[in-house]
Amino acid sequence: MDNNILAKIKGGLIVSCQALEDEPLYSSYIMQRMAVAAMKGGAVGIRANSVSDIIEIKKEVPLPVIGIIKKVYEDSDVYITPTIKEVEALIQTGVEIVALDSTNRTRPGKVELEPFFREVRKRYPNQLFMADCSTYEEGLQATELGFDIIATTMHGYTPYTAEAVLPNFDLMRRLVEDTGKPVIAEGGIWSPDQLKEALKTGVLAAVVGTAITRPMDITKRYVAAIHK
């Protein structure tokens, strides 16, 4: 495990700079400028989606990057770095951390997480891998499989956690206590106070995305408040 990278993000804020094709800010250049703004604001790391975004971001931002590729396959609900093809593409960008869906769901081609990650680890023994989990049990499983970092990213985004109230500080705390791995808090952090509360659970760092880098969703939140 590269402890130097972990030391760089310890106790800090990682900003997720992502925009999908149907969103107004979809552009690798715009995501680069978002990442630059986050860096100048004091972020310790960036989470980014797609090879093109990561390459652009790395041109201007020397912070550690958590890289993912969102790719939809018809035979699976897993869409965050779902196959070895996406893992290989991310590795080639030089991304510091590769994150992938580590939920208890079958991957494309009816592949289960355990054999998939066993092959990934065999090919890339020195790469840092982060497990995007949705439950406590998935975090324990990812720990046993040998992931370097456990994250709460998918909590609330799987059918069996859809009713979850975010952010789930108790889940963060339990994973910190029971996995023995660095844990990254992610999901539903909307305010500075919630960020501080997340870090108090003992997590290594926390990711904030929508509340910082998605103005359309931020606007909707304000407009919804008007009509309450």
Side-chain angles (χ1 to χ4, degrees):
M1 184 186 299
D2 192 330
N3 291 317
N4 184 46
I5 293 173
L6 299 182
K8 288 180 179 179
I9 63 176
K10 184 177 181 180
L13 167 65
I14 298 165
V15 175
S16 180
C17 300
Q18 300 182 44
L20 300 178
E21 291 184 22
D22 60 346
E23 295 181 290
L25 299 187
Y26 178 68
S27 160
S28 293
Y29 173 74
I30 292 175
M31 289 304 103
Q32 181 207 73
R33 304 322 295 167
M34 281 281 195
V36 170
M39 175 180 68
K40 290 187 174 183
V44 299
I46 303 295
R47 180 170 168 123
N49 168 44
S50 83
V51 167
S52 58
D53 284 12
I54 292 168
I55 289 174
E56 285 302 306
I57 288 169
K58 280 187 160 294
K59 288 178 181 178
E60 298 289 338
V61 179
L63 302 177
V65 174
I66 299 172
I68 65 171
I69 293 178
K70 289 182 176 177
K71 174 74 172 178
V72 175
Y73 288 84
E74 291 184 359
D75 62 340
S76 175
D77 291 329
V78 173
Y79 60 89
I80 295 179
T81 321
T83 76
I84 196 72
K85 179 181 178 181
E86 287 79 41
V87 173
E88 290 173 344
L90 288 170
I91 298 289
Q92 291 172 12
T93 69
V95 73
E96 285 78 11
I97 300 169
V98 172
L100 49 94
D101 183 307
S102 299
T103 61
N104 189 27
R105 298 181 294 179
T106 304
R107 312 183 81 82
K110 297 183 179 180
V111 177
E112 301 296 332
L113 176 63
E114 182 174 354
F116 171 74
F117 189 68
R118 189 187 308 121
E119 178 62 24
V120 166
R121 179 58 85 191
K122 180 180 178 181
R123 294 193 191 189
Y124 305 105
N126 300 317
Q127 176 69 45
L128 286 175
F129 287 99
M130 184 167 95
D132 285 348
C133 303
S134 73
T135 66
Y136 171 77
E137 291 76 17
E138 288 169 355
L140 294 183
Q141 180 187 31
T143 299
E144 293 177 1
L145 293 178
F147 278 86
D148 303 290
I149 303 166
I150 309 301
T152 59
T153 314
M154 295 301 294
H155 186 62
Y157 298 96
T158 54
Y160 44 92
T161 63
E163 302 302 316
V165 177
L166 303 178
N168 189 331
F169 301 117
D170 182 60
L171 175 62
M172 299 171 195
R173 191 174 296 108
R174 291 176 68 203
L175 289 173
V176 169
E177 293 174 352
D178 296 344
T179 64
K181 295 279 188 178
V183 175
I184 289 183
E186 183 170 4
I189 299 175
W190 270 95
S191 70
D193 286 342
Q194 289 178 333
L195 173 62
K196 288 174 65 176
E197 188 66 26
L199 292 173
K200 285 180 182 178
T201 67
V203 297
L204 177 74
V207 176
V208 177
T210 302
I212 296 176
T213 58
R214 286 189 165 170
M216 182 178 69
D217 292 303
I218 297 168
T219 302
K220 286 180 178 180
R221 191 176 176 90
Y222 276 91
V223 171
I226 293 174
H227 298 294
K228 278 186 178 179

